Amino acid sequence: MAEAAILGFLQNNESIPDSGNFAAEHNLDHEEVKNVIKSLQSFRYIEAKELKRETLVLTDEGKKYAAEGSPEFHFFSAVPEEGTISKDDLEKKLDASVFKIGSTQAAKKKWVAMGKQVSRKVQHVEDKVKESLLQLQQGLELDKESLNSLKTRKLIASQGWTGYSDIMKGPSYAPKRKTFATDLTRENLQNWKELEFKEYNFNAMGQPLDAGHLHPLLKVRKQFKDIFCQMGFEEMPTNNFVESSFWNFDALFQPQQHPARDSHDTFFLKAPSTTRELPEDYVERVKQVHESGGYGSRGYNYEWKREEANKNLLRTHTTAVSSRMLYALAKGPFTPKKYFSIDRVFRNEAVDKTHLAEFHQIEGLICDRGLTLGDLIGVLEAFFARLGMPKLRFKPAYNPYTEPSMEIFSYHPGLEKWVEIGNSGMFRPEMLQPMGLPEDVRVIAWGLSLERPTMILYGVDNIRDLFGHKVDLKLIERNPICRVGI
Ligand code: PHE
């Protein structure tokens, strides 16, 4: 309706000077008129200038005075023409606000003499406030002084108003808007001579694709993977969640009575409950080192049982993969290696806000002749510096398969304290020598969880919001890309 009115009006008239007046004269909603002008302007049917104005409107109090008269006028009228009236009587007679505002204003205007007794100073007054307000309401101009006084009394307020002025025909003007063909359908192509096609808008954003979304853990994993690859590490194959106790524990010189091997800490498999194949000569050397030592070690001095080693379990750490890899490496002529893995591990633990029975472990190891603890510290510092943690501290720790072992701490500027970020060590000779690695080969290694840095990076404080069936898929869709490091 507004569109037809504007285009029709311009057919016979030079211009529309003011969109506000035009809307009022044609009984149209000004907002709608504005929208139509904007759209017609963008298709160059018309030209128009933006117009901004401050208009003055009456406040609620102003509207009241315009209708009923000002309080000072009521106050004055309540004072008798002759003689006096006591202030108390006036207060009783008048509305509280009329008395309060009216007395001040009437005194200020020198209409009345105020004391305990009140009397008129002039015989006749005009309610200029009411008049001015009425004039404004009718859209009439007011002098500056009256405007200012009404403003300070908060009887009027200014309001921003936008519209258009100088609305004229544009280069593509037509009394009626053309409709364009938008789709390349068979019919449109057949009638292309009669049709006018809408121009392509190459700047328009396309529809967002309904594609897959990476889980935060995968995004953080990618960052860790990149860092390992930049440092020249190769990825180990971790595609077996089921492992034998032998590779998970025994090969790592973890004694068979160790509490971690209890079903309270480890998930054992019911079927198949045992492994079918182990490298027999190596098993023999592992048994030896557990029972009576060798390679300079006294061993654990207990009777090592093959049945324990055969038990299948869900791997409790990816170090099981490291032990398989090092064993494979020991078979050929020795070459130094840098390996890493990031994959799932399982522990039969009580679950809470920060622990689940399964999580992901990040593990790195370097295997070369003559490595020292200094190399381990240096590599850890280089690795964690790439994650944005250049300052580390180490605390002596214990692992059955490493000696020395160190917990890794980093200063967390947000939490303002040192937090544990991983575990590390040098694999023991009792682990490496039975594999057949040369005597002077040392292996430095470290491990950490993927969940912990992910929770910190994404501000998640309950692990169930990150992993498992309670995870909000919308959150996965929307979570930002991950960037770690410096
Ligand atoms: N396997 C250890 C853990 O589960 C991590 C680790 C890896 C420690 C390598 C030392 C060396 O916590």
Side-chain angles (χ1 to χ4, degrees):
M1 218 177 74
E3 185 173 301
I6 293 167
L7 291 176
F9 188 87
L10 286 179
Q11 204 172 6
N12 307 316
N13 298 276
E14 188 72 10
S15 77
I16 300 171
D18 183 305
S19 62
N21 295 340
F22 184 81
E25 282 157 20
H26 292 78
N27 231 341
L28 296 166
D29 174 35
H30 186 228
E31 282 310 304
E32 194 197 334
V33 168
K34 273 184 359 189
N35 286 337
V36 168
I37 290 172
K38 209 168 165 189
S39 155
L40 288 173
Q41 202 183 15
S42 70
F43 289 100
R44 312 186 69 194
Y45 277 82
I46 59 168
E47 279 165 6
K49 285 190 192 137
E50 271 181 45
L51 189 61
K52 275 201 175 96
R53 260 204 304 255
E54 288 285 306
T55 55
L56 290 167
V57 291
L58 272 56
T59 61
D60 286 346
E61 197 183 351
K63 281 183 197 151
K64 191 172 174 232
Y65 298 172
E68 298 168 9
S70 69
E72 58 266 39
F73 186 77
H74 288 295
F75 187 87
F76 177 82
S77 308
V79 180
E81 280 177 28
E82 301 284 335
T84 63
I85 180 170
S86 78
K87 213 174 165 183
D88 291 347
D89 285 347
L90 271 175
E91 193 165 4
K92 269 179 228 151
K93 227 167 126 178
L94 295 167
D95 252 22
S97 78
V98 169
F99 175 78
K100 197 166 160 256
I101 304 168
S103 59
T104 329
Q105 291 293 336
K108 207 168 132 194
K109 289 184 168 146
K110 302 201 165 73
W111 288 355
V112 293
M114 291 286 293
K116 272 205 167 130
Q117 293 291 316
V118 184
S119 62
R120 285 193 183 186
K121 272 187 166 172
V122 289
Q123 276 315 309
H124 179 74
V125 298
E126 269 167 32
D127 193 354
K128 269 212 76 174
V129 167
K130 178 180 170 165
E131 268 168 42
S132 301
L133 290 169
L134 284 173
Q135 274 176 352
L136 260 184
Q137 252 179 350
Q138 287 155 18
L140 296 174
E141 298 270 314
L142 276 190
D143 62 282
K144 252 215 161 88
E145 204 183 316
S146 319
L147 278 179
N148 283 343
S149 95
L150 294 179
K151 259 189 205 161
T152 33
R153 285 181 70 179
K154 296 209 171 68
L155 303 180
I156 58 173
S158 54
Q159 212 174 47
W161 181 94
T162 62
Y164 291 93
S165 71
D166 304 296
I167 303 151
M168 289 186 281
K169 285 180 189 163
S172 313
Y173 173 82
K176 243 184 130 180
R177 207 200 276 244
K178 273 181 249 159
T179 47
F180 292 101
T182 48
D183 294 323
L184 294 180
T185 59
R186 182 188 159 87
E187 287 73 27
N188 281 351
L189 287 174
Q190 279 171 339
N191 300 327
W192 68 274
K193 276 187 184 163
E194 286 90 67
L195 294 172
E196 207 164 327
F197 284 87
K198 190 177 176 188
E199 271 184 55
Y200 279 111
N201 175 4
F202 292 105
N203 295 320
M205 299 279 275
Q207 284 287 322
L209 288 179
D210 192 14
H213 301 272
L214 287 182
H215 188 278
L217 282 173
L218 293 176
K219 292 182 181 177
V220 179
R221 185 180 75 172
K222 170 78 166 65
Q223 293 283 306
F224 276 95
K225 233 179 191 177
D226 287 350
I227 288 171
F228 275 119
C229 292
Q230 285 158 13
M231 292 176 73
F233 283 70
E234 290 170 56
E235 189 164 11
M236 296 186 270
T238 49
N239 52 343
N240 58 312
F241 291 172
V242 174
E243 187 54 276
S244 65
S245 293
F246 179 77
W247 290 110
N248 194 83
F249 293 128
D250 296 282
L252 288 160
F253 197 52
Q254 192 139 336
Q256 295 187 327
Q257 309 77 24
H258 193 281
R261 298 183 68 148
D262 202 283
S263 61
H264 292 295
D265 291 308
T266 301
F267 291 113
F268 287 97
L269 255 70
K270 279 201 183 122
S273 64
T274 55
T275 184
R276 256 183 262 138
E277 234 180 341
L278 290 174
E280 292 306 329
D281 53 337
Y282 174 49
V283 170
E284 194 50 43
R285 293 198 295 274
V286 169
K287 172 183 156 82
Q288 280 294 321
V289 80
H290 277 245
E291 288 190 338
S292 50
Y295 323 100
S297 169
R298 282 188 291 167
Y300 290 121
N301 292 307
Y302 71 97
E303 198 189 320
W304 186 85
K305 291 204 179 74
R306 175 63 183 261
E307 307 83 75
E308 276 304 319
N310 283 346
K311 284 184 186 167
N312 277 335
L313 45 74
L314 293 178
R315 70 172 173 228
T316 63
H317 52 187
T318 45
T319 318
V321 179
S322 303
S323 64
R324 278 181 180 270
M325 289 301 284
L326 288 169
Y327 173 72
L329 190 66
K331 283 190 152 173
F334 178 72
T335 35
K337 284 285 178 193
K338 295 197 255 185
Y339 286 139
F340 80 95
S341 68
I342 308 174
D343 209 345
R344 193 150 331 162
V345 299
F346 307 83
R347 290 186 192 173
N348 195 356
E349 278 181 307
V351 301
D352 62 26
K353 260 176 76 152
T354 52
H355 293 91
L356 291 177
E358 54 192 299
F359 64 99
H360 297 81
Q361 213 168 38
I362 304 169
E363 180 145 326
L365 69 87
I366 304 179
C367 168
D368 202 352
R369 295 181 194 272
L371 291 175
T372 65
L373 192 68
D375 292 308
L376 175 57
I377 290 174
V379 169
L380 289 176
E381 275 172 352
F383 176 77
F384 284 102
R386 284 173 188 259
L387 288 167
M389 300 180 219
K391 258 199 226 152
L392 301 182
R393 273 188 190 170
F394 303 98
K395 183 172 145 188
Y398 173 77
N399 294 308
Y401 40 90
T402 54
E403 181 58 35
S405 312
M406 303 186 301
E407 280 170 1
I408 311 160
F409 288 78
S410 164
Y411 188 75
H412 194 296
L415 302 173
E416 288 183 24
K417 62 175 184 186
W418 292 87
V419 292
E420 198 198 324
I421 50 170
N423 184 4
S424 68
M426 302 185 71
F427 284 142
R428 297 183 75 104
E430 290 96 325
M431 167 182 167
L432 301 178
Q433 301 288 306
M435 289 175 172
L437 283 167
E439 225 175 284
D440 59 345
V441 166
R442 303 280 178 273
V443 180
I444 56 181
W446 70 98
L448 59 146
S449 92
L450 177 63
E451 277 74 1
R452 187 148 172 181
T454 305
M455 286 173 78
I456 293 172
L457 282 165
Y458 282 91
V460 177
D461 58 6
N462 190 334
I463 198 155
R464 294 177 181 102
D465 295 335
L466 186 69
F467 196 77
H469 65 285
K470 288 187 181 160
V471 171
D472 176 6
L473 283 181
K474 282 271 168 287
L475 209 91
I476 310 265
E477 274 177 29
R478 281 194 303 257
N479 67 65
I481 59 163
C482 164
R483 227 52 189 92
V484 298
I486 29 180

